[in-house]
Amino acid sequence: MLRLPSFQVANPRSVSEAVALLAEHGDKAMLLAGGTDLVPNMKHELFTPDIVVSLGQIEELRGVRTEDDGTLVIGATTTIDAVAHDATVRAHAPALSQATSLIAGPQLRRMGTLGGNVMLDTRCQWYNQTHFWRSALGYCLKKDGTVCHVIAGAQKCVAAASNDSAPVLMTLGASIVFQGPAGRREIPIDDLWHSDGIWNKKAAKDELLTEVRIPPQAPGHRGAYGKLRDRNSIDFPLLGLAVRLDLGADGTVEDADVCAVALAARPTRIKRMAELLSGTKPGQVSFDDAVERCAAQAYRQCRPLPNVPGDHEYRREMVPVYLRRTLRAAADGTGPVHCI
Amino acid sequence: MAARDVHGPGPPWKQGFRVIGKALRKEDGIAKATGRAIYADDILLPGMLHAKILRSPHAHARIVSIDTQRAEALEGVHAVITGVDMPIKYGVIPWTPDENALAVDKVRFIGDEVAAVAALDEDTANEALKRIAVEYEPLYAFLDPREALERPEPQIHAEIRAKKVEGNISKHVQLDFGDVDAAMAEADVVVEGDYFFHGTTHTPIEPHCAVAQHSADGVLTLWSSTQITHYVQRALAQVLELPESRIRVIQPCLGGAFGGKSDPFALEFVVAKLAMITGRPVKCLWTREEVFYAHRGRHPMNMRYKTGAKKNGRLTGVDAKILIDGGAYSSFGLVTTYYAGQLLTGPYDFPSYRFDSTRVFTNKPPCGPKRGHGSVQPRFAFEVQLDQVAERLGLDPIEIRRINFQGEETKTVNDLRITSNGFLECLDLVEEASGWRERHGKLPRGRGLGVAGSMYISGTNYPVYPNDMPQAGIQLKLDRSGLVTVFTGGNDIGQGSNSVVRSIVAEELGLDPHDVRVVAADTDLCPVDLGAYSSRVTFMVGNATIDACRKVRALIVDAVAEEWQVDPQRVYMGLGEVSDLEDLGKRMTTREAFHLAETKHDTLGATGSYNTPKLGGGYRGGTIGASPAYSFTAHVVEASVSEETGRITVENCWIAHDCGRALNPMLVAGQIEGSAYMGIAEALLEHHELNRFGLHAGPSLLDYRIPTATDTPELHALIVESLDPEGPYGAKEAGEGPLHPSVPAISNAVHDAVGIRLTHLPFTPGSVLSALRAARKPGARSTPSPTSTDMAAAAARVASEKA
């Protein structure tokens, strides 16, 4: 079995205590929620923190609640399984329910947390390997090396954002709340990302993600998630597509949004979806035509790289297929679209 | 001597079987399910040290120097060893000893073992590895078998056993049976094509682990997760220069092997040597990544096949040319090269046959025997080609297989002796169960049925080192308590061989199976058995067990008959009792009978053994592939294919397998299902892939994808019993044969579903889509256009042009 490097564990009881620990230990500290990403990465010596700040004892970080204005607030350490099974989430954000139900496998969903998934490290076939393997390779741009093996001569790491929750939260217009040395900071999740696979988040390492806030959705809200992977369980996405459709009282699309993950370093919005779909009506030719145009747009825009394992050309071929299916699933109130 | 001479397939007593044929739990099932079974890594000994192995980061390099001083200086490190400490080469096949426990002079793949450390704990050992400085001079690395065939320099192995290696050729076999060229000329249809089987590995859940202890009086004990205790004992003796009598090898409970634990491995020598140096017990547990480097998995093969047939479907001849990517060492490769040709000659009659197979060395983890050793790849190519022949002739795919059935009690074109053969019944069962007649060719587009057949050996007729001693031995000890202890060298690797032995003893001596204890795979305690490979254990150990039981049974019956003053023919032993068949008032417990027998005959025990009859063709290599009995299998796979995503879903797999007799139908069904699962996994998901640097593309269970429970199709195991004249109660193998047809049956089902021929593995969704695109092109044939895997096919073409 691979050994974990040695480290200390701190068990703060409150958010402020946790933030103080991060401030005290700086780069030497890392946060641990469910550990399903951090622990294997530590075994691979991708991270070697001296101190691991465990969030397991902090009650205030856990749970789902609805505020008076209808905002859905999910504590960062709420398990993925709890989110997937939460009736309020299912009713108000069906795509999130679907996406979380497809993360990893049952055991990992019971350990992993929503905050952990939002903050998931990017993934790459040249990076998520043991230290021996990476040393035989001569390392890579993301960790311990200078060369990118995905794109020759690349200056920027292109490891893939692989978090199924991220594109869904983007389509839902969610915001996320950090607690740091300077206090509370709430930002739209859209603003969290940037295109550097080494660290694809605009968040400082001394900040703690405390909650995810999903604003009330339109009365005719529809959502669905599509996930491409080889197996029915366990695997990270080879492509993830989140869809939001807002239907008016007569069933006409009033707004739409589609975001994708597992293509590049950051989750990305597919452009022109609202423009193409608005005014069309599911069940009518106009919608079907718009779906085709959306699929073509997504195919043009999405160019998966050979970052995660598997055939990247096939992943690209699946972009329009999964987009069509997921749009229709959202319109029909079905989904997820998975292993088709 | 041999048990085969003294019993037939039926029960020797007219009351029928009491234990055999019943679905009984494995004797260790509860212990495994409740976590109480002791695996190698569960062994903790006082003062035990932990070993770790330093591996090569280069695919091919000369070792210039190794400096271990800084590692030795680390506190907690007890010993550091390198190749020079064990310079004697070994290999599971005595003709090709090309491995060192730790590299001497050269490393030949990324992950090759270079040095080892014993320390107080694993972390210290790992830290010590980082302090070992190795200077390498990198050499050109061969990653493509075609290149290894074409280019003789640099040689990966210059000589093996004082014999010069020709370029990078590990083994070349060419055998001709009949006039193939004439057969092709007289055929009404000839189909020729290229097929490619990718590499796959075993993925047992338990990683390899070994623990060694060297006692004060000089006895070396090794507990190891091996499927070949006897060969490991011999290899340790050879490399460590110890008498075999000073070495004891024990196989604890084993968490799967599938052929991946049937070589001697570096960790076994390393812990033994370190235990001898330090005087303390030493354990080494491999990581999952290390298991991928140890490999010995299925060889990638580039195969060109040509099959001729008459209009009536009768085959006239088969011509095969195969390039085998062996990886860095020989392992069982000599046998693989033969098996790739020799094991194709059933269940169909080949009037003529030729094969030319070449195994080359490359700088990759060494390939070896995986479930269905050497014959799964050619079987895939041929069974797909046979469907192509049927298509050209307008014949039903099941019908063409019936037409060419070779029959029972016959000889193959390459002189393999076929005894029992239930293949026709296998075909009948899968045809019926799958609704073939109503559904094949008639399902809506996107869904299809495919058939394939196969045969496999029940052990081979010679041991890997030549000798005329029994291949399997058994020892029985009968206790006054009524308990019978059986000592068998057989390796239970999860297939349930200990349970089979227990059932046979219970049957023969009329006992409740719980009154039989099996002591297995301990070289000090058990008579030699050659190990769990080639599907030999049930057949050979089973026969040896019957042999021993009959001897001791005669003593008991004799004593009881004397006590009752009746003819011994009247004495019946069954389910814990001994009774007089003609006077039901006369009965006693088996325990009482044991007492009578011990009183009359002294301490009770017996040995039994099995050896094969002389088998095989008189030509060079003619004994390789010769088995005392062959199993036969037919599959029908029902697959659906999405033309939008290219995804193949196996909806159903019906597997009819002729195992001779199902000694325990629950175990047989388990083997059938497990085999089909593995075959389907290899076809659709698994890929032991090396990247452009020669690094394993994903040596983990996350990236090397085997199906989860939710990915596993409905598997329907159908048991056929042909009652082999020489098997124990007529039994043959069940653990490997049922894998073979899975892969071609999927390809054939995909053809039925969407009209494309998948000839290159693995059948990824991307390759399905490109085959569909190629088929849509005007004037396209149904064979897919070259894809990324075709580099290997090109290799095969170059190979055939060169020859």
Side-chain angles (χ1 to χ4, degrees), chain A residues 42-58:
Chain A
M42 285 173 68
K43 284 188 167 186
H44 287 176
E45 297 179 45
L46 299 171
F47 301 122
T48 48
D50 291 345
I51 182 162
V52 166
V53 178
S54 169
L55 304 177
Q57 312 272 324
I58 307 177

PDB file of all heavy atoms in Angstrom, chain A residues 42-58:
ATOM      1  N   MET A  42      -2.067  13.150  -1.313  1.00  0.00           N
ATOM      2  CA  MET A  42      -0.930  13.120  -0.384  1.00  0.00           C
ATOM      3  C   MET A  42      -0.133  11.826  -0.562  1.00  0.00           C
ATOM      4  O   MET A  42       1.092  11.820  -0.504  1.00  0.00           O
ATOM      5  CB  MET A  42      -1.419  13.264   1.056  1.00  0.00           C
ATOM      6  CG  MET A  42      -1.844  14.689   1.396  1.00  0.00           C
ATOM      7  SD  MET A  42      -2.614  14.841   3.032  1.00  0.00           S
ATOM      8  CE  MET A  42      -1.217  14.487   4.096  1.00  0.00           C
ATOM      9  N   LYS A  43      -0.833  10.723  -0.783  1.00  0.00           N
ATOM     10  CA  LYS A  43      -0.115   9.462  -1.011  1.00  0.00           C
ATOM     11  C   LYS A  43       0.751   9.545  -2.273  1.00  0.00           C
ATOM     12  O   LYS A  43       1.777   8.891  -2.369  1.00  0.00           O
ATOM     13  CB  LYS A  43      -1.110   8.309  -1.152  1.00  0.00           C
ATOM     14  CG  LYS A  43      -1.699   7.860   0.168  1.00  0.00           C
ATOM     15  CD  LYS A  43      -2.514   6.599  -0.023  1.00  0.00           C
ATOM     16  CE  LYS A  43      -2.829   5.962   1.318  1.00  0.00           C
ATOM     17  NZ  LYS A  43      -3.504   4.655   1.144  1.00  0.00           N
ATOM     18  N   HIS A  44       0.295  10.337  -3.226  1.00  0.00           N
ATOM     19  CA  HIS A  44       1.075  10.522  -4.451  1.00  0.00           C
ATOM     20  C   HIS A  44       2.136  11.615  -4.292  1.00  0.00           C
ATOM     21  O   HIS A  44       2.809  11.961  -5.255  1.00  0.00           O
ATOM     22  CB  HIS A  44       0.141  10.868  -5.614  1.00  0.00           C
ATOM     23  CG  HIS A  44      -0.658   9.688  -6.091  1.00  0.00           C
ATOM     24  ND1 HIS A  44      -1.619   9.792  -7.065  1.00  0.00           N
ATOM     25  CD2 HIS A  44      -0.630   8.391  -5.740  1.00  0.00           C
ATOM     26  CE1 HIS A  44      -2.158   8.596  -7.284  1.00  0.00           C
ATOM     27  NE2 HIS A  44      -1.571   7.737  -6.490  1.00  0.00           N
ATOM     28  N   GLU A  45       2.219  12.156  -3.082  1.00  0.00           N
ATOM     29  CA  GLU A  45       3.171  13.238  -2.778  1.00  0.00           C
ATOM     30  C   GLU A  45       2.950  14.463  -3.661  1.00  0.00           C
ATOM     31  O   GLU A  45       3.881  15.195  -3.983  1.00  0.00           O
ATOM     32  CB  GLU A  45       4.630  12.741  -2.849  1.00  0.00           C
ATOM     33  CG  GLU A  45       4.897  11.667  -1.805  1.00  0.00           C
ATOM     34  CD  GLU A  45       6.319  11.116  -1.838  1.00  0.00           C
ATOM     35  OE1 GLU A  45       7.260  11.921  -1.941  1.00  0.00           O
ATOM     36  OE2 GLU A  45       6.464   9.885  -1.762  1.00  0.00           O
ATOM     37  N   LEU A  46       1.690  14.669  -4.039  1.00  0.00           N
ATOM     38  CA  LEU A  46       1.337  15.900  -4.749  1.00  0.00           C
ATOM     39  C   LEU A  46       1.205  17.030  -3.744  1.00  0.00           C
ATOM     40  O   LEU A  46       1.475  18.192  -4.051  1.00  0.00           O
ATOM     41  CB  LEU A  46       0.030  15.704  -5.519  1.00  0.00           C
ATOM     42  CG  LEU A  46       0.077  14.617  -6.592  1.00  0.00           C
ATOM     43  CD1 LEU A  46      -1.315  14.339  -7.149  1.00  0.00           C
ATOM     44  CD2 LEU A  46       1.038  15.003  -7.711  1.00  0.00           C
ATOM     45  N   PHE A  47       0.773  16.665  -2.545  1.00  0.00           N
ATOM     46  CA  PHE A  47       0.706  17.609  -1.441  1.00  0.00           C
ATOM     47  C   PHE A  47       1.410  16.988  -0.248  1.00  0.00           C
ATOM     48  O   PHE A  47       1.217  15.811   0.048  1.00  0.00           O
ATOM     49  CB  PHE A  47      -0.746  17.897  -1.045  1.00  0.00           C
ATOM     50  CG  PHE A  47      -1.569  18.468  -2.165  1.00  0.00           C
ATOM     51  CD1 PHE A  47      -2.721  17.828  -2.587  1.00  0.00           C
ATOM     52  CD2 PHE A  47      -1.199  19.647  -2.796  1.00  0.00           C
ATOM     53  CE1 PHE A  47      -3.484  18.332  -3.623  1.00  0.00           C
ATOM     54  CE2 PHE A  47      -1.964  20.169  -3.829  1.00  0.00           C
ATOM     55  CZ  PHE A  47      -3.115  19.516  -4.246  1.00  0.00           C
ATOM     56  N   THR A  48       2.208  17.775   0.428  1.00  0.00           N
ATOM     57  CA  THR A  48       2.879  17.262   1.618  1.00  0.00           C
ATOM     58  C   THR A  48       2.752  18.285   2.753  1.00  0.00           C
ATOM     59  O   THR A  48       3.741  18.851   3.212  1.00  0.00           O
ATOM     60  CB  THR A  48       4.362  16.981   1.321  1.00  0.00           C
ATOM     61  OG1 THR A  48       4.913  18.120   0.652  1.00  0.00           O
ATOM     62  CG2 THR A  48       4.530  15.759   0.433  1.00  0.00           C
ATOM     63  N   PRO A  49       1.514  18.543   3.192  1.00  0.00           N
ATOM     64  CA  PRO A  49       1.340  19.526   4.266  1.00  0.00           C
ATOM     65  C   PRO A  49       1.935  19.010   5.580  1.00  0.00           C
ATOM     66  O   PRO A  49       1.932  17.815   5.829  1.00  0.00           O
ATOM     67  CB  PRO A  49      -0.185  19.637   4.378  1.00  0.00           C
ATOM     68  CG  PRO A  49      -0.698  18.328   3.878  1.00  0.00           C
ATOM     69  CD  PRO A  49       0.265  17.892   2.805  1.00  0.00           C
ATOM     70  N   ASP A  50       2.437  19.951   6.366  1.00  0.00           N
ATOM     71  CA  ASP A  50       2.898  19.571   7.709  1.00  0.00           C
ATOM     72  C   ASP A  50       1.716  19.389   8.640  1.00  0.00           C
ATOM     73  O   ASP A  50       1.765  18.595   9.561  1.00  0.00           O
ATOM     74  CB  ASP A  50       3.805  20.672   8.292  1.00  0.00           C
ATOM     75  CG  ASP A  50       5.124  20.740   7.547  1.00  0.00           C
ATOM     76  OD1 ASP A  50       5.425  19.776   6.808  1.00  0.00           O
ATOM     77  OD2 ASP A  50       5.838  21.752   7.694  1.00  0.00           O
ATOM     78  N   ILE A  51       0.692  20.193   8.369  1.00  0.00           N
ATOM     79  CA  ILE A  51      -0.479  20.123   9.251  1.00  0.00           C
ATOM     80  C   ILE A  51      -1.753  20.065   8.393  1.00  0.00           C
ATOM     81  O   ILE A  51      -1.890  20.811   7.424  1.00  0.00           O
ATOM     82  CB  ILE A  51      -0.508  21.309  10.262  1.00  0.00           C
ATOM     83  CG1 ILE A  51      -1.709  21.167  11.184  1.00  0.00           C
ATOM     84  CG2 ILE A  51      -0.510  22.654   9.565  1.00  0.00           C
ATOM     85  CD1 ILE A  51      -1.594  21.987  12.444  1.00  0.00           C
ATOM     86  N   VAL A  52      -2.615  19.147   8.771  1.00  0.00           N
ATOM     87  CA  VAL A  52      -3.885  19.010   8.079  1.00  0.00           C
ATOM     88  C   VAL A  52      -4.971  19.507   9.033  1.00  0.00           C
ATOM     89  O   VAL A  52      -5.078  19.026  10.156  1.00  0.00           O
ATOM     90  CB  VAL A  52      -4.123  17.543   7.674  1.00  0.00           C
ATOM     91  CG1 VAL A  52      -5.565  17.322   7.264  1.00  0.00           C
ATOM     92  CG2 VAL A  52      -3.179  17.152   6.546  1.00  0.00           C
ATOM     93  N   VAL A  53      -5.705  20.497   8.577  1.00  0.00           N
ATOM     94  CA  VAL A  53      -6.751  21.083   9.407  1.00  0.00           C
ATOM     95  C   VAL A  53      -8.068  20.400   9.040  1.00  0.00           C
ATOM     96  O   VAL A  53      -8.617  20.611   7.961  1.00  0.00           O
ATOM     97  CB  VAL A  53      -6.836  22.607   9.204  1.00  0.00           C
ATOM     98  CG1 VAL A  53      -7.953  23.202  10.042  1.00  0.00           C
ATOM     99  CG2 VAL A  53      -5.488  23.263   9.521  1.00  0.00           C
ATOM    100  N   SER A  54      -8.536  19.560   9.930  1.00  0.00           N
ATOM    101  CA  SER A  54      -9.737  18.790   9.653  1.00  0.00           C
ATOM    102  C   SER A  54     -10.979  19.605   9.979  1.00  0.00           C
ATOM    103  O   SER A  54     -11.056  20.245  11.028  1.00  0.00           O
ATOM    104  CB  SER A  54      -9.722  17.508  10.490  1.00  0.00           C
ATOM    105  OG  SER A  54     -10.988  16.900  10.411  1.00  0.00           O
ATOM    106  N   LEU A  55     -11.937  19.579   9.075  1.00  0.00           N
ATOM    107  CA  LEU A  55     -13.163  20.366   9.269  1.00  0.00           C
ATOM    108  C   LEU A  55     -14.293  19.520   9.854  1.00  0.00           C
ATOM    109  O   LEU A  55     -15.407  19.999  10.015  1.00  0.00           O
ATOM    110  CB  LEU A  55     -13.597  20.972   7.932  1.00  0.00           C
ATOM    111  CG  LEU A  55     -12.526  21.829   7.236  1.00  0.00           C
ATOM    112  CD1 LEU A  55     -13.025  22.318   5.879  1.00  0.00           C
ATOM    113  CD2 LEU A  55     -12.128  23.012   8.117  1.00  0.00           C
ATOM    114  N   GLY A  56     -13.987  18.284  10.169  1.00  0.00           N
ATOM    115  CA  GLY A  56     -15.031  17.349  10.585  1.00  0.00           C
ATOM    116  C   GLY A  56     -15.754  17.716  11.860  1.00  0.00           C
ATOM    117  O   GLY A  56     -16.891  17.286  12.070  1.00  0.00           O
ATOM    118  N   GLN A  57     -15.122  18.496  12.731  1.00  0.00           N
ATOM    119  CA  GLN A  57     -15.737  18.807  14.024  1.00  0.00           C
ATOM    120  C   GLN A  57     -16.508  20.121  14.008  1.00  0.00           C
ATOM    121  O   GLN A  57     -17.015  20.543  15.043  1.00  0.00           O
ATOM    122  CB  GLN A  57     -14.644  18.917  15.107  1.00  0.00           C
ATOM    123  CG  GLN A  57     -13.644  17.788  15.127  1.00  0.00           C
ATOM    124  CD  GLN A  57     -14.120  16.639  15.988  1.00  0.00           C
ATOM    125  OE1 GLN A  57     -14.748  16.841  17.020  1.00  0.00           O
ATOM    126  NE2 GLN A  57     -13.847  15.427  15.551  1.00  0.00           N
ATOM    127  N   ILE A  58     -16.544  20.767  12.852  1.00  0.00           N
ATOM    128  CA  ILE A  58     -17.183  22.092  12.820  1.00  0.00           C
ATOM    129  C   ILE A  58     -18.637  21.952  12.382  1.00  0.00           C
ATOM    130  O   ILE A  58     -18.934  21.831  11.197  1.00  0.00           O
ATOM    131  CB  ILE A  58     -16.406  23.056  11.888  1.00  0.00           C
ATOM    132  CG1 ILE A  58     -14.934  23.093  12.291  1.00  0.00           C
ATOM    133  CG2 ILE A  58     -17.032  24.450  11.934  1.00  0.00           C
ATOM    134  CD1 ILE A  58     -14.064  23.960  11.396  1.00  0.00           C
TER     135      ILE A  58
END
